[in-house]
Amino acid sequence: MSSLGDTPKIVIRELHKAFGENRVLRGIDLDLPAGKSLAVIGGSGTGKSVLIKSIIGLLEPNSGSIRVDGDETVGMSPDRRERITRKFGMLFQGAALFDSLPVWENVAFGLTQARNMVRSDARDAALDAMNIVGLDDDIADRAPAELSGGMQKRVGLARAIATRPEILFFDEPTTGLDPIMGSVIDNLILKSVHELGATALTITHDMASARRIADNVALIHQGRIVWHGPVGDIDHSGNDMVDQFINGRSIGPIQLQGAT
Amino acid sequence: MGFLASIGRGTISIFATIGYITAFAAISLSHCVRPPFYPRLILHQIIEIGYYSLPVVGLTAIFTGAVLALQSFSGFGFAGEATIANVVVWGITRELGPVLAGLMVAGRIGAAMAAEIGTMRVTEQIDALTTLSTNPYKYLIAPRLIAAIATLPLLVLIADVIGVLGGFLVSIYDFGFNPTTYLKSTWDSIDAPGFISGLVKAAVFGFVVALMGTYHGYHSKGGAQGVGQATTNAVVSASILLLLFNFIITAMFFAT
Ligand SMILES: Nc1ncnc2c1ncn2[C@@H]1O[C@H](COP(=O)(O)OP(=O)(O)OP(=O)(O)O)[C@@H](O)[C@H]1O
Ligand SMILES: [Mg+2]
C-alpha cells in the first residue's frame, strides 16, 4: 500500500471502556505510526494496561474504533480476530509465564502451538530469543517459578519477540530490572523497531527509558490522551501535566488517588 | 416487597448462572470435536485423572463392597450366597461404584482443575495464551473434558471389580461362604442394564466434574482468595450436580 512510516499501523478513535461504574477509558484517540516506537506514560491506575488489552482483544471495549492495518477489530468475529492476533507480541506487566512449562517451551510457545514448528527447531529459535534478552542457555529447562522476577520478565520479553511479530506491546518492560539490564531491554526494543521494522507500544513509568526508546510519547490521564507528541518535545511541551509527570512533582494538575 | 424482590433476584441469578454454564459447556464441547487436538495434554490429564485416582477410588470401593456384604448379611438374617452376591453386585455396579468414584474424583480433580486454571486466570496466563494465538478453550478446557469423560468409565469399571472383591472377601472369610458358589452367584447377578447404566453415569459424572472444575477456574477473579473460592465452588457444585444426574439417569434407565 502506501509508503512505510506515515501510514498508521493502528488507529484508535473515541475508545471507551468501563468496568461497572468505573469509567477507565473515556474517549482515547491515538495513532501508532508504522515502524515507530510509542511510549505511553501516565499515573498508576489510569488505564494504560486496559488500553493495551483492549487493542489486542483481551477486553471488549464499550464503544469506539480500533483499526489494525485498516481492519476494524472492535466487534470482530473470533476467527478473523485470530488472524490479527498473529501480528501481535505482548509482554505482560506480571510476565504471565506458563508455570507448567519449562522456560524454553514458554519462549517457543507461539512457534510450536500456533505455527506448528518442530520442537527441535523451536528450541533453537527459543534459545536465540533468550540470548537476545541476555538469558543463558542453562536456564532453558528450568521452571519459571525458579527464576527471579527480573529474569521472568526477560523470559516474557523473549516469548513476545520469538514469533517476530509486526506489532509489539510492552507493559512496563523495565520495572523490576536493574539499570544495566534496563538499558539492555531498551536497546532490544529499539532494535526490534529499527532492524525488524516492528511497531512498538511501550507502557513505562521510567522517563529515562521513555526518552531512550520512544519516537513519540503519549500521556494518558483520566481516561484520555492529554498530550501526544515527538519525544524531543516533552521538555517544552507547554503542557502542565507533562511537566509535572516528567519532573515527578506531587503538586500540579495531576491528582493521583491517595496523594494529597 | 423487599422480600419478593430478593426472591426474584435470586431466581434470576440462578437462571443466569445456568445459562452461563450451558454456554460455556456448548463452546467447550464444540472445541472438543474440532481440530487442532492436543493428544499430549489429553494423555497427561488421563494419567492425572485416572491413574492417580486409583488408590482413593480402590480403597473406597473395597470398603464399600465389604460393608454392603456385612449389612445385608445382618439385615436379611437368613441370607445365603445368592442374596449377598446380588446385593453387592447391584449396589456397587448400579450406584455406589459410579457415585463414590465420581465424588472422589470431584474432590481430587475438580478442585485441582479449578485451582490450576484459576491461578492461570488471575496471573494472566490465559490472556497470554490468547496473545500467542492459542485458544484457551482448546488448550485448557477441551483436553480436560475429553480425558474426564473417557477415564471415569474405566475408573468405575475398576471400582466395580474391587468393590465386588470387598464383598467377596467378607463373605468368604467372615461368613464362611463357599467361594465357588459365591463367585457363580456374583456372575449370575450381573445384569446388562444395571452395569451399562453405571458406566453411562461414570461418563456423565466425568463431564460434570471437569466442567465444574474448568468453569469455576476459568471465571475466577481476585487473586488467591478468588482461586480458593473457585475451588470450593467447583467441588460443591460438582458433587451436587453429580447426585442430581445420578437420580435422572437412574430414572431414565429403570423407571417404567
Ligand atoms: N479486569 C478488570 N476488571 C475490573 N476492573 C479492572 C480490570 N482491569 C483493570 N481494572 C480497573 O481499571 C483501572 C485501570 O487499570 P490498569 O491496570 O489499566 O492501570 P494502569 O494504568 O496499567 O496502572 P499501573 O501503572 O499501576 O499498572 C483500575 O481502576 C482497575 O481497577
Ligand atoms: Mg498496568
Side-chain angles (χ1 to χ4, degrees):
Chain A
M1 287 188 279
S2 55
S3 73
L4 202 91
D6 23 38
T7 10
K9 196 77 177 162
I10 298 182
V11 179
I12 302 167
R13 289 291 175 269
E14 268 303 301
L15 189 69
H16 288 260
K17 176 67 188 174
F19 298 98
E21 296 290 288
N22 182 8
R23 292 166 58 223
V24 179
L25 304 182
R26 306 178 196 173
I28 296 273
D29 292 319
L30 189 64
D31 287 2
L32 267 73
K36 290 279 187 319
S37 169
L38 171 74
V40 173
I41 58 176
S44 193
T46 46
K48 303 184 298 296
S49 297
V50 169
L51 172 63
I52 285 196
K53 287 181 187 169
S54 303
I55 299 173
I56 59 184
L58 295 172
L59 291 171
E60 186 67 27
N62 299 105
S63 63
S65 152
I66 302 170
R67 272 177 288 137
V68 179
D69 287 330
D71 293 327
E72 178 62 59
T73 65
V74 175
M76 189 181 246
S77 75
D79 288 345
R80 293 192 53 215
R81 160 76 70 181
E82 216 163 278
R83 201 168 44 81
I84 303 282
T85 307
R86 281 168 184 267
K87 299 180 181 180
F88 298 149
M90 163 88 181
L91 166 67
F92 286 83
Q93 194 167 352
L97 302 179
F98 306 125
D99 39 32
S100 60
L101 298 177
V103 165
W104 82 263
E105 285 193 51
N106 263 281
V107 176
F109 197 89
L111 301 170
T112 51
Q113 299 301 326
R115 286 163 185 79
N116 295 322
M117 192 185 270
V118 257
R119 281 171 70 83
S120 57
D121 292 350
R123 190 182 161 103
D124 292 341
L127 292 178
D128 285 348
M130 285 167 57
N131 290 337
I132 293 177
V133 298
L135 291 170
D136 286 337
D137 290 3
D138 56 357
I139 66 155
D141 293 302
R142 288 217 243 152
E146 296 170 28
L147 306 181
S148 74
M151 285 163 100
Q152 291 183 5
K153 201 110 203 199
R154 280 185 276 157
V155 175
L157 204 56
R159 184 174 69 181
I161 59 170
T163 55
R164 302 290 173 99
E166 293 171 37
I167 309 169
L168 285 158
F169 298 92
F170 301 116
D171 198 343
E172 304 195 10
T174 53
T175 309
L177 299 181
D178 61 81
I180 300 171
M181 194 43 72
S183 64
V184 170
I185 298 302
D186 286 342
N187 286 333
L188 167 73
I189 294 172
L190 281 177
K191 210 165 108 184
S192 309
V193 174
H194 292 153
E195 289 177 18
L196 305 176
T199 305
L201 190 164
T202 309
I203 293 174
T204 185
H205 293 292
D206 179 350
M207 286 313 301
S209 160
R211 286 173 198 274
R212 276 199 295 265
I213 61 171
D215 298 306
N216 298 299
V217 175
L219 175 67
I220 182 169
H221 182 61
Q222 292 188 333
R224 291 197 181 82
I225 302 292
V226 291
W227 187 81
H228 185 192
V231 67
D233 289 358
I234 51 172
D235 289 314
H236 38 87
S237 62
N239 184 306
D240 292 344
M241 292 191 217
V242 176
D243 283 344
Q244 188 194 347
F245 200 89
I246 62 177
N247 295 311
R249 285 193 298 264
S250 61
I251 315 290
I254 301 178
Q255 297 288 321
L256 291 183
Q257 279 160 2
T260 43
Chain B
M1 274 314 272
F3 177 65
L4 284 180
S6 74
I7 290 183
R9 266 197 297 277
T11 315
I12 290 172
S13 89
I14 287 176
F15 280 109
T17 307
I18 293 175
Y20 290 139
I21 293 178
T22 311
F24 181 85
I27 296 173
S28 306
L29 286 174
S30 80
H31 284 289
C32 286
V33 295
R34 275 185 299 158
F37 303 108
Y38 294 99
R40 262 165 34 112
L41 298 179
I42 296 174
L43 192 68
H44 176 79
Q45 289 297 327
I46 287 179
I47 292 169
E48 201 64 38
I49 298 167
Y51 187 69
Y52 291 117
S53 297
L54 278 177
V56 275
V57 169
L59 277 176
T60 350
I62 198 159
F63 286 123
T64 308
V67 110
L68 267 182
L70 283 178
Q71 287 285 15
S72 42
F73 191 66
S74 72
F76 295 131
F78 56 87
E81 282 91 343
T83 318
I84 307 277
N86 205 303
V87 170
V88 170
V89 166
W90 279 44
I92 292 286
T93 58
R94 289 184 170 211
E95 292 296 330
L96 294 168
V99 168
L100 290 176
L103 289 176
M104 288 295 139
V105 170
R108 271 197 78 242
I109 299 302
M113 285 180 181
E116 189 177 357
I117 295 180
T119 305
M120 292 187 72
R121 165 61 73 199
V122 301
T123 57
E124 298 184 320
Q125 292 177 51
I126 295 184
D127 289 341
L129 274 181
T130 309
T131 62
L132 293 164
S133 307
T134 302
N135 188 317
Y137 281 96
K138 271 205 163 64
Y139 188 80
L140 292 176
I141 317 285
R144 284 170 170 78
L145 288 180
I146 294 171
I149 295 170
T151 311
L152 260 250
L154 275 174
L155 208 54
V156 165
L157 199 63
I158 294 167
D160 286 351
V161 173
I162 296 178
V164 168
L165 176 73
F168 174 81
L169 292 177
V170 166
S171 302
I172 304 309
Y173 293 105
D174 234 22
F175 313 152
F177 286 171
N178 179 314
T180 323
T181 324
Y182 187 88
L183 282 182
K184 169 136 197 347
S185 304
T186 297
W187 186 250
D188 292 341
S189 305
I190 297 172
D191 68 318
F195 184 72
I196 291 167
S197 76
L199 297 185
V200 170
K201 283 177 179 181
V204 173
F205 296 171
F207 174 68
V208 166
V209 168
L211 185 71
M212 288 298 106
T214 51
Y215 173 82
H216 286 287
Y218 197 79
H219 292 96
S220 60
K221 43 174 146 319
Q225 198 191 358
V227 175
Q229 186 69 49
T231 309
T232 310
N233 289 345
V235 175
V236 171
S237 59
S239 306
I240 294 173
L241 279 180
L242 194 151
L243 295 172
L244 173 72
F245 277 104
N246 185 46
F247 175 79
I248 294 173
I249 298 170
T250 307
M252 279 178 7
F253 265 85
F254 301 110
T256 36

